[in-house]
Amino acid sequence: VKLSWKINLALISLLVVSLGIQARMRLDRELALFEREMRQDQHVMGRSLRHAVEDEWQDSGPDAALAMVERLDAREEGVRIRYVEHGAAGARAPELESALPLLQPGGDLSRIEPDERDGPGWMYTYVHLDLPGAEAAAPMLEIRESLAAQRAYVRATSLRIAEWLGVTLAGTTVVVMLLMRWLVGRPVAALAAHARRVGAGDFGSRVGFDTGDELGQLARELDQMAGGLAAAQQALRIEQQAREEAIEQLRHADRLASVGRLAAGIAHELGTPLNVAMARAQMIEAWEVDDEADARVNASSIAEQCGRMVVIIRQLLDFARPRRLEVGTEDLRAIASDALELVAPLGRRRGVSLTLADGPPVFARVDRGQVQQVLLNLLSNAIAASPPGGTVTASVAGAERDGARIAVHDQGSVAAEHLPRVFEPFFTTKDVGEGTGLGLSVSHGIVREHGGSIEVRSPPGAGTTFEVHLPPGG
Ligand SMILES: Nc1ncnc2c1ncn2[C@@H]1O[C@H](COP(=O)(O)OP(=O)(O)OP(=O)(O)O)[C@@H](O)[C@H]1O
Ligand SMILES: [Mg+2]
């Protein structure tokens, strides 16, 4: 865990600083102790030597005393002893000169001198000698001891401290890492795995531990969050289901309404001719006719009504039966031109002029007869809706990528409440016998089978436009 390393690093830095300071203080203390002991040793030695030399000087004279000093010097291993006279040549430690007058008879003084060649240095102790006849020269004993032992001691102690520091730090690292893994690594891994599961949509998953600390609190919050998400998801699912059911009900109702309207339309369309035909047939049956000629008139009326019913039924079949398209590459402009020609007499009768907007041929893969049927329906509707002296404009446009577009525009208008219903089978505003209301629904079916769409626009005061869109290719 990276976090463990960070905490470990912080802790180790802290430890290094505090333990370093402590070690340094300990080393200084031990050094001072070592020095004090060394100095004491030299003082004790100096005092005993002083008595010996003073006695010898008094008993056997200066030469014997100096010879004794030389003997003593040779005897002590690591300790050099000399007779010096203050101010005399060869006396060491000229720095001591200022302190020498303070040196009382019987007193002593010591100091540490660094070595000239970067050696460990020396500790000197001067002992004042009380010799008769030598007062003016201030005779002293010089005891000199190498500090090599001290240096070795310092080195050994430093090494020991470093070892101890290393072991302490290594131990701390191990303990911290183990603790972090146990207290942080494991729960965090569990939390991450849990978050992954929740992210993947498993809201039923629980973290499954409670350490009672901040991570435990986080785990509890996560569990609560997952619970909340699960509830929200459940609510959403129920709502979605309700919505789907509502939509299905609406669709069902809509289907029923459509079937109802279709049935009403059929009943209405067939009802009138059937009534007429039945009445005539009953008249003939009861011989309520004047003569045979009258009977024949009635019979032909029956035949006429039956013919009308046959037409209606054929139209109905056209609407209901799946048509088989006979598709070929056709020029839509040519089809429109033919259709315009076919409805021209109707236009003339109504005083409505027909135009086809100029343009290049537009080729599309369509069933020629079917598309012509659509155009005939749209054009005859437009003529019927046009005011006297009005103009019906057809236009054909096409683009390789966008497909083809056929539009029929007239100067009439569709009532806003009729607009959504014009494509319904049997929806008509025309009088009985003038329209069955199947033209647009049949057209709609044909266009749909071509993979296209048909729409109507009738903004107030701007006429009505029916637009057929055929997809590219085909
Ligand atoms: N160009 C138009 N302008 C205004 N109203 C229109 C137009 N085209 C269609 N309509 C309205 O839509 C109704 C349905 O048209 P549709 O062609 O389906 O049936 P229809 O023309 O009434 O009868 P038919 O079955 O003989 O075509 C029409 O009765 C008319 O009210
Ligand atoms: Mg029509």
Side-chain angles (χ1 to χ4, degrees), residues 377-378 380-381 430 435 437-440:
N377 284 338
L378 295 181
S380 57
N381 281 352
K430 290 167 189 166
L438 284 172
L440 283 180

Side-chain angles (χ1 to χ4, degrees), residues 183-196:
L183 291 178
V184 178
R186 245 175 20 123
V188 165
L191 285 173
H194 172 70
R196 252 199 312 280

Side-chain angles (χ1 to χ4, degrees), residues 201-379:
D202 176 12
F203 299 138
S205 127
R206 292 290 175 265
V207 184
F209 73 81
D210 190 355
T211 47
D213 55 14
E214 288 86 344
L215 289 174
Q217 192 183 346
L218 184 60
R220 274 197 305 281
E221 296 289 345
L222 273 178
D223 279 350
Q224 266 172 20
M225 184 191 78
L229 282 174
Q233 195 190 38
Q234 177 68 12
L236 204 70
R237 203 177 290 138
I238 289 170
E239 199 180 313
Q240 177 80 17
Q241 207 171 331
R243 195 177 304 150
E244 272 166 17
E245 273 166 19
I247 288 173
E248 188 46 46
Q249 271 170 10
L250 271 178
R251 256 193 221 125
H252 188 62
D254 199 39
R255 264 201 302 276
L256 284 181
S258 297
V259 170
R261 276 200 296 272
L262 193 64
I266 294 170
H268 182 259
E269 284 302 314
L270 296 182
T272 314
L274 262 177
N275 274 332
V276 173
M278 191 162 77
R280 300 291 170 129
Q282 280 166 344
M283 274 173 74
I284 297 171
E285 188 186 32
W287 206 251
E288 285 169 10
V289 289
D290 303 336
D291 49 24
E292 199 189 306
D294 195 16
R296 208 164 273 168
V297 168
N298 278 316
S300 79
S301 173
I302 291 171
E304 190 190 319
Q305 297 301 326
C306 286
R308 200 174 140 196
M309 287 189 280
V310 166
V311 169
I312 290 171
I313 285 170
R314 200 172 50 233
Q315 280 179 325
L316 202 55
L317 284 175
D318 271 353
F319 167 70
R321 196 171 44 208
R323 281 164 285 266
R324 225 188 300 113
L325 295 180
E326 283 163 24
V327 176
T329 301
E330 309 284 352
D331 178 10
L332 296 178
R333 183 172 298 281
I335 299 176
S337 175
D338 287 354
L340 247 70
E341 211 132 297
L342 284 172
V343 295
L346 182 63
R348 270 197 299 280
R349 214 181 307 144
R350 299 275 186 128
V352 174
S353 51
L354 305 169
T355 58
L356 176 60
D358 280 339
V362 175
F363 290 99
R365 290 195 51 79
V366 294
D367 182 319
R368 184 184 183 91
Q370 306 268 19
V371 171
Q372 190 173 68
Q373 162 100 58
V374 171
L375 269 158
L376 287 176
N377 284 338
L378 295 181
L379 287 168

